[in-house]
Amino acid sequence: MENLMATRLSLNGVFPPIPTPFDEQGDLALEALTANLAHWNEYDLSGYVVLGSNGEGVYLTTKEKIEVWETVRRAVPDEKLVIAGTGSESTRETIALSRLAAGAGADAVLVLTPHYYGGQMSPEALRRHFEAVAEQVPVPVMIYNMPRFTHIDLSAETIVEIGRHPNVVGLKDSGGNVGKLAEIVRATEGHLQVLAGSASFFFPALAVGAVGGVMALANIAPQALLDLYDRHGRGKWREGAVLQQRLVPVNTAVTARFGVPGLKAALDMLGYYGGPVRSPLRALDDAELRALKGILERDGIL
Amino acid sequence: MENLMATRLSLNGVFPPIPTPFDEQGDLALEALTANLAHWNEYDLSGYVVLGSNGEGVYLTTKEKIEVWETVRRAVPDEKLVIAGTGSESTRETIALSRLAAGAGADAVLVLTPHYYGGQMSPEALRRHFEAVAEQVPVPVMIYNMPRFTHIDLSAETIVEIGRHPNVVGLKDSGGNVGKLAEIVRATEGHLQVLAGSASFFFPALAVGAVGGVMALANIAPQALLDLYDRHGRGKWREGAVLQQRLVPVNTAVTARFGVPGLKAALDMLGYYGGPVRSPLRALDDAELRALKGILERDGIL
Amino acid sequence: MENLMATRLSLNGVFPPIPTPFDEQGDLALEALTANLAHWNEYDLSGYVVLGSNGEGVYLTTKEKIEVWETVRRAVPDEKLVIAGTGSESTRETIALSRLAAGAGADAVLVLTPHYYGGQMSPEALRRHFEAVAEQVPVPVMIYNMPRFTHIDLSAETIVEIGRHPNVVGLKDSGGNVGKLAEIVRATEGHLQVLAGSASFFFPALAVGAVGGVMALANIAPQALLDLYDRHGRGKWREGAVLQQRLVPVNTAVTARFGVPGLKAALDMLGYYGGPVRSPLRALDDAELRALKGILERDGIL
Amino acid sequence: MENLMATRLSLNGVFPPIPTPFDEQGDLALEALTANLAHWNEYDLSGYVVLGSNGEGVYLTTKEKIEVWETVRRAVPDEKLVIAGTGSESTRETIALSRLAAGAGADAVLVLTPHYYGGQMSPEALRRHFEAVAEQVPVPVMIYNMPRFTHIDLSAETIVEIGRHPNVVGLKDSGGNVGKLAEIVRATEGHLQVLAGSASFFFPALAVGAVGGVMALANIAPQALLDLYDRHGRGKWREGAVLQQRLVPVNTAVTARFGVPGLKAALDMLGYYGGPVRSPLRALDDAELRALKGILERDGIL
């Protein structure tokens, strides 16, 4: 495995966790996916997370997942990363799926904490899970900490321990606790590349040492987040902070408030293909659509 | 669909939610499963729940699930029910899996609340999910409310609403709030058959109108729970209450405290096949095994 | 202290946790309190809990608390118990207040778990708190476990340990986990008298060994709960279970749904003095009042 | 009231929420308090929060609170602010206590969200509470949002609404969600002065528009936080971010990990008076003391 990691994967920059397009029957709409990617490819995005939470990954069959990863890989130039969300409840399924993702061309896998038997998911059990995956998967592994959905919040200490494995290269943390990110950056001395899991704290995360972000908002406002990233990188932190301020309301709308249905509706409004969500998720109703439109217009995104 | 429900399915009695045996490589051990069932069939159990939480259902592939259901169906006499756990995150997957279960011989399906996008799982979204499943599945549907694992606790009101669908026949509630069970029994006037989801409140649940129980403890102490059920039925409630008291410590051990690994270890001690759990679950360590053995001995189960 | 406990205090029966009447200015309405008690005294209630959660205890000054306890003691015959809610965040304040309550005539004190520094309230810290109080207070102590308000749920194990102190005589548990109550009854062999903290699980709690209940519903439907208690005592458990069923909807209304404002509104409807709550609690609005009235009428209480 | 607010109170800078010294009997040690303040006064701190969570405010009687505020006021020069923690469960008690604090010389009051009846503390109830307090208290009011202890997390929307009242001048938010702070800063356009409630996210908070911080760590490392604040103010953000990194481990130790007992122990090690905590809080044991000492040494604080 050593040679696979000879060239370290850089996770710097902005990554949209892309939604998965479905047609009106709820089947995969792969041409729409390709069209969306052609549009996103025009931006200086570092890559894409495919089948994370925003991709409704938990709603797809294994066969569908492979089709999505293959479609994305074909539609994305080699220099942009394809990061596949492969976290499953069991270690063996996570490994199997990660290998399939690698076979479909993924550059790395993003592994969510297993969480169904929450009371049994001790730090020790989770550490062994991630290490087993890191050991048996032919591409680098990123830890995905998402307390809002999993009801498990990996501690800084556990993340640092898992991050010692040479094939664990990054962390997407959606918890929003920037102090914790700072602690992780410090303790891993940069070995573990930390990415903000939401635009709501992108600039603060960069300020304490994160290298980038995987942010739903990057699907609909990629340039704004690239600008923010750029200002931070060039030391223009005050300008970065101002940009951060501007993005907060729209980000809240397409994440906590309206979720994946809101993200897809926003894409529809912006000329991308958003399309329907799979049930039990439900489309926004008219009042919600109007509210979303108002927010997008007020913030100059629409 | 009407004719399918002409004869109403009775859920009275005691149902063990059986664990799924794996061999040392972590593959299905179907012969062990058949052997376990031969043993359980000797008791007056009303049937089995197959691939619920105690069955590590979240760790099996679709192909494995079908094999398990088919194996159980073959090993179980027709007069005992096979209830298949088929709850998945998406409505379409839940329907697909439920149809496969019915095809494999299941008499009913037990449908867990979808929960990954918890904030979006409004009572309305969940109601539509269950109704869509009930509509499109050729066997009766049971609601599975399991707040400890899903972090969603269906309200009595929502359960009563879902229970109005003619193809929704039962509820397994593991929350332990007996007052809520009483409320549901009263409001549905018995249309919705309520089952205790844990032996810790089996007698109290029967006392307020539950018709039976799906209880991990029924795997290792079937006769004790059948006795309790019998005492209640024959109006010998004081005796039932005494039996309930006796079962509490061992039940705590094989559920909340040691979980599925504890249940499998107890089966091994009792001459059934328990075997290993799948990772990231972990086997009990020596101290835990000793503690478990002590509890089983003290309570006369071993 | 030994002689104080020579005659063991019996906690059998039904105890309303009475609300504290305020006038329109929000000051104590002690005459209304006396009048309410004259009415309740006509029932075969075993006593009263004064300044528990339903008594808005957290909203009263120390001086007001003493006035309330003294007023209640004067208005209640000696053979009925006055149990004073004295739990405070600090051990010394709890002791001081418990002594004042004893001086005002309380027969026992009900001590809520301290909870502000929740993360530091280890089982060990809580055990020492209760033991210090039990040691230094001249009347018997009851443990008050109220997870909904304190976000701390004492485990059966910790309760059993605390219950070993000779001056700890009872437990009011509002958590609703009847299996846990059964475990405590069994482990303490009756030394610790267990009381249901809500009518929603009164009958099931009695069925597993509780000796009585401290239930908001006892303020507005004392006879129904006394009947239920009586049926259980005389072995007419089926009748008891039927009564339990009947009480569920109204109990939900005056506890979880409408809280203390609902309880006070119901008292007003029934000819007692309910009166206003203290801010930040807010009175029911007109729609809520109508809903509450409907429920009371439907259940034959009004 | 208008003239009172003619000169707007500035909350810029660093504020330690000071602990309350007790002697070995658990009584107030006011001379030790005066001595500690003489030491802290040497730093360029903007003022002190007195009887917040770190001050064990919930463990003091009203009489003790007044003594503490008066002692602090005498020991602190006029140009430094004294901010009194006065939040109580009832609106009337909060107002009464706030007036007493103002009478004792407090420049502002910090009002914690009432939380005991959590389910009834709707945004509307909380808004009215804060507005009633702001209306009837003769000094400016700060909102104190502390989800870890209150289990209530005021939303950005509710905070913005409360912040419209002219006498509500600030927010101490301990939740750590920097994106939310950014949203509040933006929506209130600076009318509501936002302060970080923990050093763990001080720099990120400043970066999105906070004006200062109320941070336990400021008790034991005031100069480090003043340096960080200074770097941010002079546009040397990279240096500020580096300082932030350095402070994370020690901050974790004296807040989440060891709490108030840890803060007091650290003060003892540093030559201040820390002294005992009140029960049920418990002093650190020897192993914890060693761990704390190690952390303080490693980070150059000791």
Side-chain angles (χ1 to χ4, degrees), chain D residues 22 26 44 51 62 69 87 124 136 155 170 180 185 203 213 248 298:
Chain D
F22 302 117
D44 195 23
L51 298 180
T62 301
W69 289 323
E124 176 69 2
Q136 298 175 53
S155 70
K180 180 178 154 189
V185 168
F203 181 75
V248 164
R298 206 172 316 124

Side-chain angles (χ1 to χ4, degrees), chain A residues 71-111:
Chain A
T71 302
V72 171
R73 183 71 279 176
R74 276 194 301 272
V76 167
D78 283 356
E79 66 272 17
K80 290 185 194 283
L81 298 183
V82 173
I83 301 171
T86 59
S88 305
E89 282 295 332
S90 77
T91 308
R92 62 194 264 151
E93 180 71 9
T94 304
I95 292 168
L97 210 50
S98 296
R99 287 174 173 167
L100 289 169
D107 298 293
V109 291
L110 180 65
V111 175

Side-chain angles (χ1 to χ4, degrees), chain A residues 179 182 186 200 207-208 241 245-246, chain D residues 179 182 186 200 207-208 237 241 245-246:
Chain A
R186 179 179 160 152
S200 69
V208 298
Q245 281 286 358
R246 211 164 61 77
Chain D
R186 181 181 159 150
S200 68
V208 299
W237 288 27
Q245 282 286 359
R246 211 164 60 79

